Amino acid sequence: MGTIAEEILAKKSGKKKVEPGEIVEAEVDYVMVNDITGLPAFKVFEKLNAEPIREKIVLIPDHYVPNKDIASAEQAKAMRMFARKYGIENYFEVGDNGICHQIMIEKGFVAPGRLIVGADSHTCTYGAFGAFATGIGSTEAAVVFALGKLWFKVPETMKIIVKGELKDYVMGKDIILHIIGDIGVEGALYKAMEFYGDTIEKLSLADRITIANMTVEAGAKAGIIPPDDKVFKYLENRVRGSYEPVYATEDAEYSDVLEYHADEIEPLVAKPYLPSNIAKAKELSDVEIDQAYLGSCTNGRIEDLRVAAKILKGRKVHKNVRLIVVPASKEVYMQALKEGLIEIFLEANAYVSGPTCGACLGGFMGVLASDEVCISSTNRNFIGRMGHKDSKVYLANPAVVAASAVTGRITDPRDLK
Amino acid sequence: MEEIIRGRVWKFGKNVDTDQIIPAEYLVTADEKELCKHAFEKVMPSFSKNVKKGDIIVAEENFGCGSSREHAVRALIGCGISCVIAKSFARIFFRNSINLGLPVIEADVEADTGDILEVNFKKGTIKNITKGKEFKFKPMPDFLMKLLSKGLIEYAKEKLKEKS
C-alpha cells in the first residue's frame, strides 16, 4: 500500500494508508536538539506553559562544545539548565557524547520503523536504519517537547537502485555524491529517497549512514534504506525499547525510479560551492590544499578512520597541510585508540581532537582563512561554510582526504605511490 | 496577517543556503535584530545596512537549502522582511517560515532589486508595480494558511488546551 516513508507516516498517524501531499499529524518517537538549535527551542517551550514529554526528548550539545567562547558557553549552559530544570534524562554531557547523529545511533534511539525529528538538517541520517527521520526547526521541536506530535506533509518517494561491485576506495560517500551530481541539489526536494539494490545490501552500516546523511543535500525530506540483519545485529544490546521494521509493499508507487551502476562510480569530489558540483578526484590533482578534515556526522565513524589510517600508516602529512581528525564520538575515539589508529594519525603529524561539529560549519577547531582550500569528509561546501568567504571546501570520502593530506593536492588514493 | 502587502524587492538567485542567510559563527543568539546585522554578510554585505521594514525577497529555486537553523528565518524577520517569493523552497526553511509567521510564496516572478511588488494573498496575485506585470500563485492549503496567520506557538497552545 505504500513506500517505507508512507507506511511509517501512516502507522504513526493512526491511518491505514496515506497519500503523498496529504498533511497528517503523527506521533513522534524522539525529538532531538543540539546546542545551537536548542536555545530558541527552550525559549519557545517556556511560552507554552506545558509539561515536557520527558522520555521523548534528547539533548545533545555538539556544535560549539567544548565551549568555543562566552556566547557559546551561555548557549551550552542553557541546554544543561533546561535538562536539569525539567529532569530530562537524555542529556549527553561533553566527555560522554559526540556528534548528535552518531550519539542518537550509538545510544539506541534510532531503530527501524521509528519516526524521529531533530532540529538539525542531518537528522535524515537515521534512515540508514529504516527509520523515517527528518530535520525540523527549533520552534516545532519545542512544540514536540510539549505535544509529542507534529504535522507532516507526506512526501512522494523516489526509488534509487544501485547495482554491482564497487571499485577500490569507492565508498558510500561517492555513491551519494554521484547521485546528487546526477539529480542536483534540488533533485529530491520535498521527497523521500529510498535505496535498493545489491550494492546497498552489501554496504557496511557506516557507508549506508553516509548515504542517508547526505540525502538532505539533494533536498530530500528523508533518505531510507530497508533494514536488514546488519541493522538488527548492531541494535542488539543497544536499542532502547522494542521496534518493528517497516518495509514498502509490493504495490508501492514511486515518483521516480533511478538506477545506477556501482562500477561507473569513481572516488569523487564535490567542488565549491555545491555538493552537486562533482568531479573525479583524479581530475583535480592540480588543486593544492591547505587543510584536510576527517570527521563529522557524514564520515567520522570507526570504519572511516580505519580507511584513512591504512593510507596514513608509515606516511607523513605534507608539510603545507594541516590534517585534522575528529572521531564522531567517544565510542569511536576509544575504538580507534584500541586499534592503534590514533597513534598512526599522530605519527603522521595529524592533529586529533575529541568529538565536535566545530570546523564543519566554520565554528572553531579548524576554521579556514581567506583563499585557503580544504579537502573535507563533511557534507557541505557552500560559500564560507568552513570559514572565510574566500576559502574553498572540496568534499570527498575519507580515503581521498587522507591521500590528499599526504600529497598536498587532491589525490585519488589509487594514485598514491 | 495582512491581506495585501507592498514592498521593495531584493533579488537573489538559486540555491541560496542558510549559511549565506546567516553564517554559523553568529549562531550564538536567538535575537532577531542581532541576527539581522549579519544577514547575507558573506555574499551581499550591503543587505543588512540597506534593508527596510516591509522589503520582499525574490529568489529562484531551492531558497533556504542546507542547515535547519531557524535563525535564518529569524534574521529575515529581524530585518523586517515581509515576504519571501521563490520558484521553490528547501523544506525546512519553508516550515520554519510558516511556523514563525513569515509568508513564503512559491511563484515564478519577474522582478529586479529595487522593484516594488504588491502581493495579494487572498486573490493569489503578485503585481510588479515597477514593471507593470502581474503574476499568479496557488494559495496555500488551509492548514498551512491557518498556521501562518496564527503561528505554531498559538496553534500548539490551543492543542494543549484541547488535551487538558
Side-chain angles (χ1 to χ4, degrees):
Chain A
M1 292 201 306
T3 65
I4 302 177
E6 290 161 10
E7 292 289 309
I8 294 176
L9 286 175
K11 194 171 119 190
K12 296 294 180 182
S13 56
K15 296 185 171 204
K16 276 205 167 121
K17 183 176 167 53
V18 295
E19 299 280 353
E22 185 179 344
I23 291 174
V24 298
E25 194 174 54
E27 193 74 33
V28 165
D29 289 293
Y30 291 108
V31 52
M32 186 274 300
V33 297
N34 64 46
D35 49 321
I36 283 179
T37 59
L39 181 71
F42 306 144
K43 290 190 173 178
V44 169
F45 184 79
E46 296 299 345
K47 288 187 200 164
L48 294 176
N49 198 18
E51 273 297 303
I53 304 176
R54 291 176 177 79
E55 66 280 9
K56 290 194 177 188
I57 303 172
V58 189
L59 307 174
I60 308 176
D62 63 353
H63 278 54
Y64 286 166
V65 297
N67 308 333
K68 84 176 172 96
D69 54 18
I70 292 167
S72 65
E74 294 293 345
Q75 198 161 249
K77 183 179 167 191
M79 176 174 274
R80 201 170 291 122
M81 291 302 120
F82 186 85
R84 280 185 204 163
K85 177 177 174 185
Y86 291 104
I88 310 290
E89 288 208 6
N90 297 322
Y91 165 75
F92 295 91
E93 189 56 274
V94 173
D96 182 32
N97 78 347
I99 294 173
C100 60
H101 305 306
Q102 183 64 16
I103 296 303
M104 287 294 287
I105 292 168
E106 283 177 5
K107 303 284 185 186
F109 295 104
V110 175
R114 286 186 180 163
L115 175 58
I116 303 174
V117 294
D120 188 292
S121 59
H122 292 109
T123 301
C124 55
T125 305
Y126 323 147
F129 291 77
F132 186 100
T134 193
I136 60 167
S138 298
T139 298
E140 40 192 6
V143 167
V144 182
F145 288 0
L147 292 172
K149 292 179 179 178
L150 189 62
W151 68 273
F152 296 86
K153 189 169 112 178
V154 178
E156 292 182 301
T157 302
M158 293 174 88
K159 184 175 194 174
I160 313 267
I161 303 162
V162 190
K163 287 180 174 168
E165 290 289 324
L166 287 172
K167 293 177 182 170
D168 281 353
Y169 293 113
V170 175
M171 301 176 67
K173 182 66 157 280
D174 304 291
I175 296 176
I176 190 67
L177 286 178
H178 182 79
I179 294 168
I180 297 169
D182 181 43
I183 66 174
V185 290
E186 75 225 46
L189 208 57
Y190 298 114
K191 295 182 181 178
M193 296 168 87
E194 294 183 8
F195 295 87
Y196 292 87
D198 61 296
T199 315
I200 303 293
E201 286 162 21
K202 275 181 264 171
L203 284 181
S204 68
L205 284 181
D207 277 320
R208 294 183 194 178
I209 294 168
T210 306
I211 290 176
N213 174 272
M214 284 194 73
T215 52
V216 68
E217 312 316 334
K221 183 167 192 163
I224 308 177
I225 297 173
D228 62 6
D229 284 341
K230 283 181 199 168
V231 169
F232 308 143
K233 194 156 175 260
Y234 178 86
L235 292 178
E236 277 172 22
N237 308 318
R238 202 182 273 272
V239 70
R240 291 163 191 250
S242 60
Y243 65 89
E244 207 179 309
V246 171
Y247 298 96
T249 57
E250 276 184 16
D251 58 354
E253 287 178 23
Y254 300 89
S255 64
D256 320 69
V257 179
L258 301 177
E259 200 170 306
Y260 296 94
H261 293 277
D263 58 3
E264 289 169 9
I265 305 175
E266 299 280 320
L268 294 174
V269 171
K271 300 180 287 182
Y273 295 99
L274 283 176
S276 55
N277 198 11
I278 299 303
K280 289 176 186 161
K282 65 170 153 224
E283 289 166 356
L284 297 176
S285 57
D286 56 341
V287 178
E288 291 184 8
I289 60 164
D290 302 285
Q291 181 167 296
Y293 186 85
L294 176 63
S296 83
C297 56
T298 313
N299 278 123
R301 275 165 281 281
I302 190 68
E303 293 86 345
D304 300 314
L305 301 190
R306 282 180 195 140
V307 167
K310 203 172 156 196
I311 290 170
L312 289 163
K313 190 169 187 180
R315 293 191 168 103
K316 294 279 184 210
V317 173
H318 190 275
K319 61 179 173 38
N320 295 342
V321 176
R322 301 97 62 179
L323 170 61
I324 299 174
V325 180
V326 185
S329 68
K330 176 179 105 168
E331 187 179 313
V332 173
Y333 200 148
M334 285 182 71
Q335 185 62 31
L337 265 176
K338 279 184 201 151
E339 295 181 20
L341 309 184
I342 300 297
E343 199 175 331
I344 294 172
F345 295 135
L346 293 173
E347 287 278 354
N349 293 338
Y351 173 87
V352 182
S353 92
T356 175
C357 305
C360 169
L361 70 161
F364 70 137
M365 301 291 285
V367 175
L368 301 174
S370 56
D371 301 319
E372 284 193 331
V373 174
C374 180
I375 183 106
S376 181
S377 73
T378 55
N379 43 47
R380 290 188 176 135
N381 55 355
F382 301 151
I383 297 169
R385 170 72 180 183
M386 291 183 79
H388 194 278
K389 68 179 174 59
D390 297 327
S391 61
K392 290 194 168 81
V393 179
Y394 290 77
L395 306 175
N397 77 30
V400 175
V401 169
S404 307
V406 170
T407 63
R409 37 185 77 232
I410 293 178
T411 301
D412 184 322
R414 296 169 302 189
D415 294 337
L416 206 59
K417 286 178 185 101
Chain B
M1 204 184 97
E2 288 178 48
E3 207 170 277
I4 298 174
I5 55 167
R6 201 181 237 255
R8 192 182 57 154
V9 170
W10 288 87
K11 181 69 201 297
F12 289 85
K14 60 199 279 190
N15 302 321
V16 173
D17 59 76
T18 52
D19 278 86
Q20 289 182 40
I21 302 174
I22 183 73
E25 49 267 44
Y26 305 112
L27 302 183
V28 286
T29 174
D31 183 80
E32 293 168 359
K33 293 272 172 229
E34 190 57 36
L35 290 165
C36 170
K37 286 184 196 164
H38 305 288
F40 298 107
E41 187 176 276
K42 290 185 183 177
V43 290
M44 199 186 276
S46 61
F47 180 86
S48 67
K49 288 186 202 90
N50 299 319
V51 66
K52 287 199 182 74
K53 192 169 168 20
D55 283 359
I56 294 172
I57 287 177
V58 176
E60 296 181 16
E61 295 87 356
N62 202 22
F63 188 86
C65 61
S67 157
S68 69
R69 62 189 70 162
E70 196 173 285
H71 309 67
V73 176
R74 288 170 182 256
L76 299 186
I77 291 172
C79 289
I81 293 294
S82 62
C83 176
V84 184
I85 303 168
K87 285 185 189 167
S88 62
F89 290 89
R91 52 163 293 275
I92 308 177
F93 181 90
F94 189 81
R95 288 182 77 105
N96 286 341
S97 299
I98 289 170
N99 290 336
L100 295 181
L102 174 67
V104 276
I105 299 172
E106 270 192 337
D108 186 355
V109 170
E110 193 186 322
D112 293 305
T113 296
D115 287 359
I116 302 297
L117 293 190
E118 191 181 273
V119 180
N120 186 321
F121 287 98
K122 206 169 177 188
K123 282 194 194 157
T125 57
I126 301 165
K127 266 189 208 156
N128 186 329
I129 308 278
T130 312
K131 291 193 167 37
K133 289 188 176 172
E134 188 172 295
F135 308 90
K136 287 196 186 324
F137 64 91
K138 246 202 273 174
M140 273 185 206
D142 286 348
F143 174 76
L144 294 189
M145 219 40 215
K146 211 162 67 184
L147 264 188
L148 178 62
S149 52
K150 210 179 283 181
L152 184 67
I153 298 176
E154 284 311 309
Y155 172 84
K157 280 183 183 168
E158 286 173 15
K159 283 264 170 191
L160 283 163
K161 249 190 226 156
E162 281 171 29
K163 225 169 111 182
S164 66

